[in-house]
Amino acid sequence: MAKGTVPVQKNEMYEVTFEDLTHDGAGVAKINGYPIFVPGALPGEKGTVKVIKINKGYAFGRLMELEVESEFRVEPDCPIYHKCGGCQLQHMSYEGQLLAKKKQVEGVLSRIGKLDNVMVHNVLGMAEPWRYRNKAQVPVGEREGGLVAGFYQQRSHDIIDMDKCLIQEQLNDEIVQAVKGIFEKYGVRAYNEERHTGTLRHIMARYGQVTEEAMIVLVTKEEKLPNKSQMIQEIVDISPKIKSVVQNINAKRTNVILGDKTKVLYGEEYIHDYIGDIKFAISAKSFYQVNPKQTKVLYDKTLEFASLNGSETVIDAYCGIGTISLFLAQRAKHVYGVEIVPEAISDAKRNARLNGIENVEFAVGEAEKVIPWWYAQGIHADVLVVDPPRKGCDETLLDTIIKMKPKKVVYVSCNPATLARDLRVLEDGGFKTIEVQPVDMFPHTTHCEAVAKLVLQ
Ligand code: SAH
């Protein structure tokens, strides 16, 4: 194909074979090397697509007819799968999803990282890949006078009612439905985004899967609620597992869910949960992993790749609430954690105290500033762990790692593409990638986590 020519036309039909999946779960077919992205299609399938939008380097198509189905195609279990958009891969069997995620990691390591001989292990998936999420955060609206609680319809601000979500902890589903009913009974209006009127904005439910403690967060526009004490009593009576009911007041015109002020209405300000042996205190605002079972799998792998003997100084960059730092501290001499969000660092320190872990220190700041500063102070890590957000590590941080020369780097990633990019930089700086272990933290979605082990050459 000549450079710049597009081999398809808008609104025309084409017979295609799908070869791949995009990182957001659409099927990819190619015509003379020109890719067409088609939602709902799976690799290995053949069908007819109508081209609906053309760009210079790629087009979007709609699947009109499927002639050959993938062996992994299944009927989605969730009745609202196509409307919701929260899951993207329910039309694929779980086995197929795990194979696709492995292929995605191998693909980017080769294409972006130019790493063709790295061992990528089979994805560690869940034995029971349903109802794994421990946190529900549901917007509330009104329809024909009653309250609806669910999710925003794709590309709109209309709220679709949802009585169950198959990847959500069942008790959270029940709590959201029951709370909605109680507010409706007492005539509380839902918040209206456009007019900035009404009261109830969001219902949040959090659950400690190990401790079986539940928390409810009622996000309201103002503090005043009618019949408050009766309402609270009815909410507490939803389940004996409810250990905390808090009200968060958010009076602003904003998409941000939580406001500044939180008031305890019943029980404690915190619930607790465990990942492995480590106990965590979780408040309305705390970050906490949404799938702690698989988080344990991911962090056990991180620990295995770090292979500590108790004598090491370890740095945990992008440490959040200190989950990985506390895991590592049990096996290391000293751990330094750094994270940009001050509240996360307060939680990290509290969690260290809660577990009686003393050989860890946390600092607030940008990893790319704090770690070079530590290095200048003579702090030298034997093992360095990074767990950056989707955009990957900052270049300055990678440069510092290359200068610092830790014996091992363990890279925990939620975005295989930036993982591959950063591994290339570290390889060019003298490290070798030994193995990569993908872990499925979010079954039925396209999210893909992986942990890589690098050693200094
Ligand atoms: N390891 C953590 C979660 C990591 S998620 C855990 O197990 O809980 C990535 C974290 O990086 C987030 O907490 C985010 O706030 C933080 N972050 C983002 N940019 C950062 C930066 N430049 N420096 C330090 N931390 C950063």
Side-chain angles (χ1 to χ4, degrees), residues 8-14 48-52 64:
V8 297
Q9 281 179 356
K10 192 173 165 178
N11 293 329
E12 289 296 309
M13 305 278 211
Y14 298 88
T48 309
V49 301
K50 182 176 182 177
V51 170
I52 52 173
M64 306 304 283

Side-chain angles (χ1 to χ4, degrees), residues 40-251:
L42 295 175
E45 295 190 324
K46 286 187 182 167
T48 309
V49 301
K50 182 176 182 177
V51 170
I52 52 173
K53 187 169 192 294
I54 292 186
N55 289 317
K56 214 168 165 193
Y58 57 93
F60 289 101
R62 186 177 303 135
L63 189 59
M64 306 304 283
E65 207 188 313
L66 207 52
E67 279 116 48
V68 177
E69 276 194 9
S70 160
E71 60 181 307
F72 298 122
R73 180 169 285 279
V74 292
E75 204 45 50
D77 279 331
C78 172
I80 49 174
Y81 171 58
H82 295 290
K83 277 196 213 158
C84 166
C87 295
Q88 303 82 37
L89 295 177
Q90 272 199 33
H91 58 296
M92 197 177 206
S93 67
Y94 192 51
E95 182 197 356
Q97 293 176 24
L98 295 180
L99 290 171
K101 288 183 184 184
K102 178 179 181 187
K103 202 163 160 242
Q104 188 199 349
V105 173
E106 287 173 331
V108 291
L109 286 180
S110 161
R111 265 196 327 276
I112 303 174
K114 308 280 174 256
L115 290 158
D116 286 308
N117 299 316
V118 171
M119 161 77 101
V120 178
H121 298 284
N122 287 340
V123 181
L124 295 171
M126 297 188 81
E128 179 48 64
W130 299 101
R131 298 228 171 257
Y132 58 82
R133 281 189 70 98
N134 60 6
K135 176 176 158 184
Q137 195 165 265
V138 179
V140 182
E142 285 180 9
R143 189 75 29 91
E144 282 136 28
L147 296 182
V148 290
F151 58 89
Y152 292 111
Q153 184 157 27
Q154 289 185 61
R155 289 177 289 278
S156 101
H157 267 211
D158 288 344
I159 294 165
I160 306 280
D161 211 21
M162 171 170 58
D163 59 1
K164 64 174 181 200
C165 166
L166 298 179
I167 60 168
Q168 183 61 249
E169 168 62 46
Q170 188 144 359
L171 181 62
N172 286 348
D173 273 354
E174 288 165 17
I175 285 174
V176 169
Q177 286 307 309
V179 170
K180 182 183 81 172
I182 294 164
F183 273 79
E184 201 166 81
K185 177 173 147 192
Y186 285 99
V188 179
R189 302 287 305 262
Y191 175 68
N192 180 304
E193 258 185 338
E194 277 158 34
R195 294 198 291 269
H196 197 51
T197 55
T199 304
L200 185 60
R201 297 176 72 128
H202 274 83
I203 303 168
M204 190 199 276
R206 308 190 82 167
Y207 185 64
Q209 291 175 347
V210 175
T211 57
E212 302 194 351
E213 296 175 359
M215 164 183 271
I216 301 176
V217 185
L218 308 166
V219 187
T220 60
K221 179 166 156 262
E222 60 268 317
E223 197 170 325
K224 219 169 135 259
L225 290 171
N227 306 97
K228 206 164 180 171
S229 50
Q230 284 118 292
M231 276 211 299
I232 296 169
Q233 193 51 54
E234 287 189 33
I235 288 171
V236 172
D237 288 343
I238 296 170
S239 161
K241 293 180 177 171
I242 295 168
K243 301 291 179 224
S244 165
V245 180
V246 305
Q247 181 181 11
N248 175 275
I249 298 115
N250 185 356

Side-chain angles (χ1 to χ4, degrees), residues 287 289 299 316 318-324 338-341 344 365-368 387-389 391:
F287 171 84
Q289 294 283 350
Y299 294 171
D316 178 18
Y318 309 91
C319 72
I321 59 165
T323 328
I324 297 178
V338 53
E339 155 68 41
I340 201 166
V341 176
E366 290 163 88
E368 59 272 24
D387 183 8
K391 66 175 187 209

